Amino acid sequence: MSSLQALIFDVDGTLADTERDGHRVAFNQAFKQAGLDWHWSVELYGKLLAVTGGKERMAYYLQKFNTDFPTDDKTPLMIKELHASKTVHYTELLSTGAIPLRPGVKRLIHEARENNMRIAISTTTTPENVTALLEHALAEKSSDWFEVIAAGDIVPAKKPAADIYIWALEKLKLKPTDCLAFEDSENGIKSSLGADLKTIITINDYTKNHDFSGAALVLNEMGEPNKGFKTLSGNNHGASFINLDLLKKIHAAV
Ligand code: XBP
Ligand code: MG
């Protein structure tokens, strides 16, 4: 097998805990601004996360949780407008630095860059959201550090479909066996495994009970040298935080 060539990161829940205090809050702001009485609680949002993509999530909400709301052929346009407003609220929130990267993420990305390891993004979220998170939580212009940013509506079928990872691999001109993927959710790992990528999971509060069968390693977080990760399943090769040395061992393991 060839050496490890690239790391492909999911964004929401993996690079940062963006859902509960980021996306959810922005959706509620957009609903309020539009004069709607919709409100997504922390608990309801956990259920809505079954569907990836903000527009798709609003459609699912109307179908399953707010069935009294009248819908017609103008509903998709209303959802599109609400989503555009939500993106404005979300990127504004990120610009205040409200959402930091998860432990170990910044260190690992810097280590990857210092060692010429290629890095890419594969996410369901809107491209502006990715840029805003990277610029405000990682470093100015850091979206340029990622060779490929596969995001949003670039493929019609969102996660759990494998399409977004396959698209990223095509752009990178790499085989799945050349790369590792980083995910936090069941929809995410279905997508990455569907593209035949070995996958490392860092769980969060919304995803801790998800099924991560097939993951190479499941951790509570990436960990730091002074505060190691907890291993939930898989072979950590005796390491206590994610670094390139551990990733190369995971990549080489059969
Ligand atoms: C992320 C998502 C996204 C965000 C919202 O999933 O599901 O829908 O919650 O983003 P993943 P948009 O981490 O698996 O990529 O509103 O921009 O769609
Ligand atoms: Mg995710």
Side-chain angles (χ1 to χ4, degrees):
M1 182 190 284
S2 64
S3 59
L4 178 60
Q5 304 287 315
L7 311 179
I8 311 179
F9 297 93
D10 167 50
V11 174
D12 295 303
T14 301
L15 295 186
D17 254 321
T18 49
E19 294 291 8
R20 192 191 66 184
D21 300 329
H23 290 292
R24 184 187 68 89
V25 171
F27 278 114
N28 285 331
Q29 286 172 330
F31 302 154
K32 196 168 173 195
Q33 196 177 352
L36 294 164
D37 65 354
W38 306 357
H39 180 82
W40 290 359
S41 66
V42 170
E43 197 202 344
L44 171 62
Y45 195 67
K47 295 179 185 149
L48 296 171
L49 282 173
V51 170
T52 64
K55 294 187 286 295
E56 294 81 352
R57 189 167 298 144
M58 282 187 267
Y60 177 61
Y61 167 70
L62 289 177
Q63 261 165 33
K64 292 270 175 234
F65 298 92
N66 191 358
T67 48
D68 289 343
F69 189 85
T71 55
D72 56 26
D73 57 356
K74 293 198 193 70
T75 308
L77 179 62
M78 182 190 76
I79 285 180
K80 208 171 160 212
E81 286 169 358
L82 282 171
H83 191 250
S85 159
K86 176 258 170 179
T87 300
V88 172
H89 287 294
Y90 180 70
T91 52
E92 268 174 22
L93 187 69
L94 288 181
S95 72
T96 67
I99 310 233
L101 297 178
R102 294 189 65 188
V105 169
K106 197 178 265 194
R107 177 185 48 74
L108 178 63
I109 290 173
H110 280 295
E111 191 191 355
R113 275 169 57 73
E114 280 155 21
N115 289 275
N116 298 318
M117 176 69 65
R118 299 167 68 186
I119 52 175
I121 296 273
S122 166
T123 177
T124 321
T125 204
T126 304
E128 293 100 290
N129 298 348
V130 181
T131 312
L133 179 72
L134 296 175
E135 303 283 309
H136 296 291
L138 181 56
E140 225 178 290
K141 300 202 171 31
S142 58
S143 45
D144 296 346
W145 301 355
F146 293 82
E147 203 175 313
V148 172
I149 297 187
D153 298 326
I154 213 158
V155 290
K158 293 190 175 166
K159 298 175 188 178
D163 303 33
I164 193 80
Y165 275 103
I166 293 169
W167 193 91
L169 287 168
E170 277 169 12
K171 292 282 159 194
L172 287 165
K173 297 193 171 56
L174 289 174
K175 298 190 293 296
T177 48
D178 298 327
C179 309
L180 290 176
F182 295 82
E183 274 290 352
D184 70 301
S185 70
E186 195 167 330
N187 280 327
I189 193 173
K190 278 188 181 149
S191 175
S192 58
L193 291 183
D196 292 326
L197 283 153
K198 225 179 231 189
T199 304
I200 294 159
I201 298 289
T202 46
I203 60 160
N204 57 58
D205 270 353
Y206 274 134
T207 68
K208 59 188 175 196
N209 298 319
H210 285 190
D211 179 2
F212 293 119
S213 309
L217 188 57
V218 183
L219 305 169
N220 67 326
E221 60 185 39
M222 291 192 187
E224 291 286 16
N226 62 355
K227 187 172 179 283
F229 54 55
K230 289 194 183 68
T231 304
L232 305 169
S233 69
N235 185 353
N236 63 23
H237 298 267
S240 63
F241 61 95
I242 291 201
N243 62 5
L244 287 190
D245 184 51
L246 170 59
L247 295 181
K248 285 175 187 168
K249 286 178 182 158
I250 292 171
H251 176 253
V254 279

